[in-house]
Amino acid sequence: MTSFLECFSRTVAVCAGSLLCSISVGAPSPAPAVSASSDLILINGKVITVDAHDSVAEAVAIQGGKIVAVGTNEEIRELASKNARIVDLHGRTATPGLIDTHCHFDATDDLYAINLSKVTSVAEAVELVRKKVVSGKPGAWIQGAGWDEGKLSDRRYITAADLDKVSPSNPVWLTHTTGHYGVANSAALRLAKISRDSKDPDAGTIDRSPDGTPTGVLKETAMQPVRKLIPEYTRWQQRSGLLKMMADFNAEGMTAAKDPGTEGIRWDLYRELLDENKSTVRIFALLYGGRDMDSARKTLARLQSQPKPPESQGDGMLLSGGVKLFMDGSGGGRTAWVYDPWLRNGQPDTTRAGEPNTGYPNIDPPTYREMVKLFHEAGIHVSTHAVGDRAIDWVVDTYSDLLRQTPTKHLRHGIIHCNIPTDHALDTMARLQRDFDAGYPETQAPFLWWIGDIYHASFGAAREQRLMPYKTYTQKGIVWAGGSDYFVTPFPARYGLWASIARQTSSGTQPFGTAESVDIHTALKSYTIWAAHQLFLEDRIGSLEPGKDADIAVWDRDPYSIPTDAIKDMRCELTLLRGKIVYDAVRTKSK
Ligand SMILES: [Zn+2]
C-alpha cells in the first residue's frame, strides 16, 4: 500500500501507455508523504458523477483530497497547477467509490477457516474438512464457512454424520453462507451438550431426523452452545482480517461500508488502523443491541460515549453509527417471521409439532419496541434486520409509532434486508422517508443471485414476485441502499448492480421475474449516493461533485453502455480514497 503512495507523490506526467504508468515508476522509499494540497487531475475519461442530473463529464480536478471541479478536459486542464499529477484515463470510466451498506466487514474466516463458498457437493466439503483435520492438532476446533445446500449437487444439508466420518474427535463447526445456521459434528454436539433430549431454545431450531436425533444443523439461537465454545481469533488475526478486507474492498472500487457488528475488539481495531493511517475504507459501525432491555441499556451507554453521526473520527473515516437489532431470522433457513407458511419442497413447511412454519421473531416483539424507543429517544440511529413480511411490518410500525411520539427527524432508521415488504410496509416507508428522513431499506440485490435458488424453494411463486421490489420503490418514491451482507454473498458491488437489473439466480433462472428490475442508473445510485445517505456521509461521498471527497473508482468498462451481463464482470483498475491511490491494478498485477 505504502508503495503506491510513495510513487504517487513523486511522479508527474501525462501517461501514454497503461493507465498508471506515470505513477508506477516512483523511486524506492523513503519518500515524503503525500501532501494534502497535492493537485491531481483525471482526464480523458467518462466520469459518471451520479449528481442530481446523472451527468457524465470527461475530467475531474482534485486538490487536497477533495474534488474541486468536474468538467471537460479543457476546463480541467486549465485548473491544473504546474506540478499537478495527471492521470490519463484513456477513455475509461470513473464512478464514485462504491459503498456497501450491510457488510460483515471481516476477512478473518477467509484467512483462517475453510472457505466452503465454492463447494458443489457434500463430499467436497467433507474432503476439505478431512484435509484440515489431518494437518491440524488433535482435538483442535475445525472451522469453515460459506456452504449453501442450494449449490450442492446433493441438494441437502451437510450433517454431523457426514463430518464424523473424517473428524471423529476434532469438533467441527461449519457456518452456512447466510450465517443463520450451521452444522456441527458429533464431537462438537457432545461438547455443547446437545442431544436428542435437548429442547429447541427460544428463537432457535435444532434440526432433527424423524426419530428426534439432532442432524448437526443448528439454526439461529440454537447455534450459540456450539459457537461459544470455539476459541476467538487472536487480536492479530482479527486485525489481519480487517486489513485484508480493506485491501479486497479497494480492489473492487469500494471505499465505504456499514458494518453491522462491531462488538468485542473490532471497534478498537478500527481505531487502531485509523490512528496508524492504515485505514483505506470508511466504516460506519453499528453495535448489536442484544435481545432485552438490559443489553439495550449497555449498548446505549457505549454509544453515548462516542460522537454521533454525522460526526466522525478521522475526518469522515470512522463513525460510531448506532445500533443493530434483529427482528427475525433467515429466508434460506425458513426462520424469518412471515404471514404465510414457508415452503419446503414445494409444500407448506411445518414445525416439529406439526404446526404451519411461519418462522418466528428473534426477539419478543413488545420488547423490541421498547428497545427501539430507548434508542430513538436518545437520538440514536437504529437498523433492524427484518426478512419476513410480518417482521418488516412490525419494524416499520415501530418506527412509525415512535416517530409519532417523538418526531426526531434524520435518524434514518433502517430496515436491513427488507426482503418482502407488504403494501402496508411500502406505504409506511415512503411516508417515513418523506416526513422524517427515516425508514430506509438496506437491501442486498445479490441475494436474488447467490442464494436465489434456496429463496425460490422457500418463498414460493406468489411471494417471491415481491422480493426486493426495487421498481415499486422507485414508483413510490422510496430510496434504498445497496449492500452484500458479506459473507452471505460475495461483496463486490458490481454483483449487486447487475443483480438489481438481472434478478437471476446462481443456476441462471429468473423465478422472481423482471417486473421489479431497475436500470443501471438507478442501481448505481443505490451503491453510491443513496448508500452514502445511510452512512450519514452524503455531503462527503456518493457522487463526484465539487466540494466532495475524491473517493473514485476507475473501471475497464462503462456500466452505462454495456450489456447487463457484462456489469458483473467489470474490473476495477484504480481506486482513490480522498484523492490518494489505495488500489492500482497495474501495480498489483506486477507484484
Ligand atoms: Zn447481515
Side-chain angles (χ1 to χ4, degrees):
M1 196 66 60
T2 326
S3 62
F4 299 139
L5 302 181
E6 287 163 4
C7 296
F8 189 45
S9 67
R10 305 187 153 245
T11 49
V12 184
V14 180
C15 175
S18 73
L19 181 58
L20 277 167
C21 60
S22 66
I23 285 173
S24 320
V25 291
S29 56
V34 178
S35 134
S37 61
S38 301
D39 285 299
L40 167 67
I41 66 171
L42 310 185
I43 57 160
N44 292 330
K46 285 184 199 163
V47 179
I48 294 179
T49 64
V50 197
D51 66 6
H53 310 288
D54 198 10
S55 49
V56 179
E58 290 175 331
V60 188
I62 297 158
Q63 182 154 29
K66 290 203 180 287
I67 296 169
V68 290
V70 180
T72 63
N73 290 326
E74 292 69 40
E75 286 163 348
I76 298 304
R77 273 186 193 282
E78 266 175 32
L79 292 171
S81 66
K82 217 166 80 196
N83 294 322
R85 293 166 181 96
I86 301 173
V87 174
D88 190 332
L89 296 176
H90 295 286
R92 290 175 180 81
T93 299
T95 64
L98 303 181
I99 302 167
D100 189 329
T101 60
H102 189 76
C103 178
H104 300 274
F105 198 85
D106 185 358
T108 321
D109 272 344
D110 216 21
L111 287 172
Y112 304 106
I114 306 170
N115 184 339
L116 297 164
S117 63
K118 295 200 173 72
V119 303
T120 57
S121 67
V122 172
E124 227 178 282
V126 170
E127 174 58 15
L128 291 175
V129 172
R130 189 192 66 79
K131 283 190 184 144
K132 195 88 175 179
V133 172
V134 172
S135 64
K137 293 190 198 122
W141 277 90
I142 309 286
Q143 278 196 81
W147 64 279
D148 170 6
E149 69 279 9
K151 295 191 183 65
L152 304 179
S153 54
D154 318 68
R155 294 281 159 157
R156 66 165 175 86
Y157 292 156
I158 303 169
T159 63
D162 298 318
L163 301 171
D164 291 348
K165 284 181 235 156
V166 295
S167 187
S169 42
N170 290 66
V172 179
W173 173 250
L174 308 179
T175 308
H176 188 265
T177 190
T178 59
H180 286 264
Y181 52 111
V183 57
N185 69 343
S186 295
L189 292 173
R190 268 195 305 276
L191 289 172
K193 301 193 169 55
I194 294 171
S195 67
R196 40 179 311 160
D197 301 328
S198 307
K199 289 207 177 72
D200 282 3
D202 179 28
T205 308
I206 299 170
D207 189 63
R208 298 168 203 259
S209 47
D211 72 351
T213 313
T215 63
V217 171
L218 306 170
K219 297 183 178 180
E220 309 296 347
T221 57
M223 299 187 285
Q224 280 319 315
V226 170
R227 292 233 293 218
K228 71 177 188 214
L229 299 175
I230 303 171
E232 260 200 20
Y233 287 120
T234 64
R235 186 184 179 94
W236 181 255
Q237 286 174 321
Q238 292 188 53
R239 185 184 145 104
S240 307
L242 281 186
L243 282 169
K244 175 172 164 48
M245 195 72 205
M246 287 184 178
D248 291 352
F249 241 56
N250 295 153
E252 288 288 348
M254 301 171 74
T255 48
K258 187 165 182 173
D259 180 348
T262 49
E263 284 64 54
I265 60 167
R266 287 178 65 76
W267 174 260
D268 299 339
L269 287 172
Y270 279 132
R271 284 270 358 176
E272 187 175 294
L273 295 179
L274 188 64
D275 292 344
E276 294 173 18
N277 214 6
K278 292 201 163 93
S279 211
T280 62
V281 173
R282 299 171 194 270
I283 298 290
F284 185 99
L286 298 179
L287 267 184
Y288 177 45
R291 299 178 62 229
D292 55 42
M293 289 308 289
D294 196 38
S295 59
R297 278 187 212 100
K298 283 188 187 128
T299 304
L300 179 63
R302 272 190 70 182
L303 288 167
Q304 281 176 325
S305 69
Q306 303 285 344
K308 275 189 260 181
E311 273 185 74
S312 65
Q313 306 183 30
D315 198 22
M317 286 298 293
L318 180 62
L319 294 91
S320 166
V323 66
K324 178 185 182 184
L325 297 170
F326 280 91
M327 193 63 234
D328 69 348
S330 131
R334 298 185 297 274
T335 55
W337 196 28
V338 288
Y339 289 111
D340 297 324
W342 288 106
L343 295 191
R344 187 173 200 160
N345 304 325
Q347 297 302 316
D349 191 20
T350 51
T351 64
R352 263 191 94 213
E355 304 287 324
N357 175 20
T358 50
Y360 37 80
N362 172 276
I363 187 169
D364 171 52
T367 305
Y368 165 78
R369 199 159 283 194
E370 281 306 301
M371 290 167 75
V372 179
K373 185 176 158 87
L374 180 79
F375 293 115
H376 178 73
E377 290 186 347
I380 301 278
H381 164 76
V382 176
S383 268
T384 309
H385 168 119
V387 167
D389 42 16
R390 201 167 169 189
I392 297 167
D393 274 352
W394 189 266
V395 169
V396 297
D397 286 344
T398 296
Y399 293 164
S400 178
D401 278 5
L402 294 173
L403 280 159
R404 194 165 33 231
Q405 290 166 33
T406 311
T408 312
K409 286 187 180 178
H410 310 304
L411 292 180
R412 305 178 185 187
H413 301 320
I415 304 104
I416 298 169
H417 310 311
C418 199
N419 285 15
I420 35 169
T422 59
D423 288 343
H424 166 73
L426 290 165
D427 292 338
T428 307
M429 291 189 290
R431 180 171 54 79
L432 294 181
Q433 291 192 7
R434 190 186 61 231
D435 295 349
F436 300 106
D437 187 19
Y440 294 92
E442 296 173 350
T443 158
Q444 296 76 35
F447 281 7
L448 297 162
W449 160 56
W450 193 250
I451 50 175
D453 292 307
I454 50 175
Y455 263 31
H456 173 53
S458 302
F459 281 85
R463 206 164 18 195
E464 71 192 2
Q465 305 306 320
R466 305 182 65 93
L467 268 172
M468 289 131 194
Y470 299 135
K471 185 62 165 256
T472 303
Y473 285 167
T474 61
Q475 287 160 351
K476 289 188 178 278
I478 296 168
V479 159
W480 69 97
S484 67
D485 200 10
Y486 175 80
F487 64 84
V488 175
T489 78
F491 63 80
R494 57 194 161 93
Y495 294 126
L497 296 174
W498 163 76
S500 305
I501 309 163
R503 296 175 71 84
Q504 186 177 307
T505 71
S506 61
S507 67
T509 59
Q510 284 179 313
F512 318 122
T514 52
E516 291 292 352
S517 295
V518 288
D519 65 14
I520 182 62
H521 300 261
T522 307
L524 186 60
K525 280 187 199 166
S526 72
Y527 282 90
T528 54
I529 191 66
W530 293 346
H533 178 270
Q534 275 316 86
L535 273 59
F536 290 65
L537 287 173
E538 74 279 10
D539 290 339
R540 280 180 184 271
I541 59 171
S543 64
L544 304 182
E545 296 180 82
K548 287 204 168 177
D549 288 0
D551 289 11
I552 301 177
V554 177
W555 303 92
D556 68 337
R557 62 195 86 177
D558 168 15
Y560 279 4
S561 63
I562 54 178
T564 299
D565 263 355
I567 292 172
K568 69 176 186 308
D569 302 322
M570 282 167 56
R571 282 204 349 263
C572 177
E573 303 212 329
L574 179 73
T575 307
L576 304 181
L577 177 85
R578 305 206 291 188
K580 294 181 188 173
I581 295 175
V582 290
Y583 174 72
D584 167 0
V586 174
R587 275 189 72 80
T588 304
K589 227 179 285 162
S590 63
K591 259 186 199 165

